[in-house]
Amino acid sequence: MTMSNTGGRRRPPTIHDVARVAGVSRGTVSRVLNGGHYVSPAAQEAVNAAIRKTGYVVNRHARSLITGRSDSVGFLLTEPQERFFEDPNFNVLLSGCTQALAAHDIPLLLMLAGTKDERRRITRYITAGHVDGVLLVSSHSGDRVAEELREAGVPLVQCGKPMGPGSKVSYVAADDRDGARDMVRHLLSLGRRRIGVVSGPLDTPGGVDRLAGYKEVLTEAGVEIDERLIVSGDYSRASGEEGAERLLAQAPDLDAVFVASDLMAQGALAALRRAGRRVPEDVAVGGFDDSAAATEAKPALTTIHQPYDRISAEMVRLLLAQIGGEDPAAVILPTELVKRDST
């Protein structure tokens, strides 16, 4: 901090202070702060050292007036607020994206929009230019947020594959279908044949693909698809519990359950315990995500690992590339079976 001439109060260091300490012009400092174009390595190092010495912090508001950018990114979750606090996956994604953007000195704004009115307000806020781009999490079919933002020219990367055919939205996803296939193969390898499923919501890509993987492997193994063994949930713990109760009522002879999220699987375990079914002796249980819910479960869940660190990093990479003028792109990352005590 630098002393002012009035009353000895400290004032924030300015770009002029950085230039003076570095021994360069104000224009050189400005070029370093805006990407380092046309600046020699020696001058860039001198400016960076002066920034550290003076404690100078970029005035983002002033920069945005010049560049037309906000120098911030939105993390948009289109789910009710309580889901953000219940589901550990959202917090892991948020943390990963925050860290990836911090490496570029870009803050991340959390936006929750679980209702139509909230989505309308948030869309209006985003398209007014308050963020440079959006990381969209948990999009449902029929939800126009992604398309509206894309049509407005807002750089956007979605977590999970878009539901609509021919969508031009950039996305990063784990291979949901292949992960489900691995889990069902594992349950079959244990000699289980009456395998139920609590799918995710069927208006989401993960819900559709994980159910498809379940059906594909059973068909390949010559096991008839029994609709009594198929129910759907909404990724909440309560829906997993309700789903398992329905399965037990419809197919009491089931000997395994593939639950399409770890949080739902926690609920399914509670329902099985209440029904007097031992896990894994009577009913083997597999989850999906490899979240904190898997290791906290009793017994610990066999599950499908989603590489959330890579998903976060790739979402940020694709978004920054779009903000820089590149075309939308897609990345699908492999999953991995993690065996624990529930199977």
Side-chain angles (χ1 to χ4, degrees):
M1 300 286 275
T2 304
M3 299 293 290
S4 75
N5 294 326
T6 58
R9 290 186 305 168
R10 293 181 178 274
R11 64 169 173 80
T14 67
I15 193 171
H16 299 284
D17 297 318
V18 174
R20 176 176 51 78
V21 172
V24 299
S25 69
R26 183 184 179 282
T28 298
V29 175
S30 180
R31 286 193 294 275
V32 170
L33 294 174
N34 286 286
H37 303 295
Y38 309 111
V39 180
S40 70
Q44 181 146 353
E45 176 53 37
V47 171
N48 288 333
I51 289 172
R52 291 191 295 270
K53 183 174 181 179
T54 61
Y56 174 74
V57 177
V58 175
N59 184 327
R60 291 187 179 277
H61 177 66
R63 178 189 282 184
S64 69
L65 293 175
I66 298 170
T67 64
R69 291 185 177 178
S70 70
D71 280 340
S72 62
V73 164
F75 183 96
L76 175 55
L77 176 62
T78 55
E79 295 284 354
Q81 291 188 19
E82 58 269 21
R83 289 292 310 282
F84 174 73
F85 296 103
E86 180 190 29
D87 194 324
N89 296 324
F90 297 141
N91 284 282
V92 172
L93 279 171
L94 177 63
S95 176
C97 292
T98 300
Q99 292 177 30
L101 285 165
H104 301 274
D105 196 27
I106 298 174
L108 185 63
L109 280 63
L110 173 62
M111 304 172 178
L112 303 178
T115 67
K116 287 184 178 179
D117 284 343
E118 289 171 346
R119 287 192 283 275
R120 186 162 50 248
R121 285 194 297 271
I122 289 294
T123 300
R124 191 164 59 240
Y125 177 84
I126 292 168
T127 54
H130 293 293
V131 294
D132 294 329
V134 173
L135 301 166
L136 176 63
V137 179
S138 193
S139 181
H140 296 254
S141 64
D143 181 356
R144 287 269 304 153
V145 168
E147 290 303 323
E148 287 174 4
L149 293 178
R150 187 187 69 80
E151 290 166 4
V154 177
L156 172 75
V157 177
Q158 180 171 307
C159 181
K161 293 193 298 185
M163 288 288 288
S167 174
K168 301 296 184 182
V169 173
S170 186
Y171 70 89
V172 179
D175 195 333
D176 291 300
R177 185 178 299 224
D178 196 55
R181 289 170 61 90
D182 285 344
M183 178 58 74
V184 179
R185 285 195 195 99
H186 172 62
L187 295 172
L188 287 170
S189 75
L190 301 175
R192 312 294 170 129
R193 288 298 180 270
R194 295 288 288 164
I195 302 173
V197 62
V198 182
S199 79
L202 298 180
D203 62 347
T204 64
V208 170
D209 281 351
R210 293 173 201 180
L211 180 58
Y214 160 87
K215 290 182 174 181
E216 286 171 3
V217 171
L218 290 183
T219 300
E220 290 168 3
V223 177
E224 183 180 354
I225 303 297
D226 185 344
E227 294 299 325
R228 293 173 299 175
L229 287 166
I230 301 174
V231 300
S232 63
D234 63 6
Y235 290 138
S236 69
R237 189 184 189 282
S239 74
E241 189 167 356
E242 293 163 5
E245 289 173 348
R246 277 183 285 149
L247 287 176
L248 288 168
Q250 295 168 187
D253 61 336
L254 65 83
D255 57 13
V257 184
F258 166 43
V259 190
S261 84
D262 294 338
L263 194 61
M264 287 201 301
Q266 279 192 342
L269 289 172
L272 290 167
R273 277 194 299 271
R274 195 162 51 247
R277 303 296 180 93
R278 297 171 301 161
V279 176
E281 293 85 355
D282 301 327
V283 180
V285 176
F288 203 108
D289 292 330
D290 197 22
S291 66
T295 53
E296 293 167 357
K298 305 295 183 188
L301 279 170
T302 292
T303 188
I304 297 296
H305 175 75
Q306 292 204 68
Y308 283 116
D309 53 346
R310 292 186 61 194
I311 291 172
S312 300
E314 287 297 306
M315 288 178 68
V316 168
R317 182 182 68 82
L318 293 186
L319 184 64
L320 294 182
Q322 270 191 68
I323 292 171
E326 295 185 20
D327 292 333
V331 174
I332 298 178
L333 297 170
T335 58
E336 181 183 358
L337 175 68
V338 179
K339 299 177 184 178
R340 295 195 180 98
D341 298 336
S342 66
T343 61

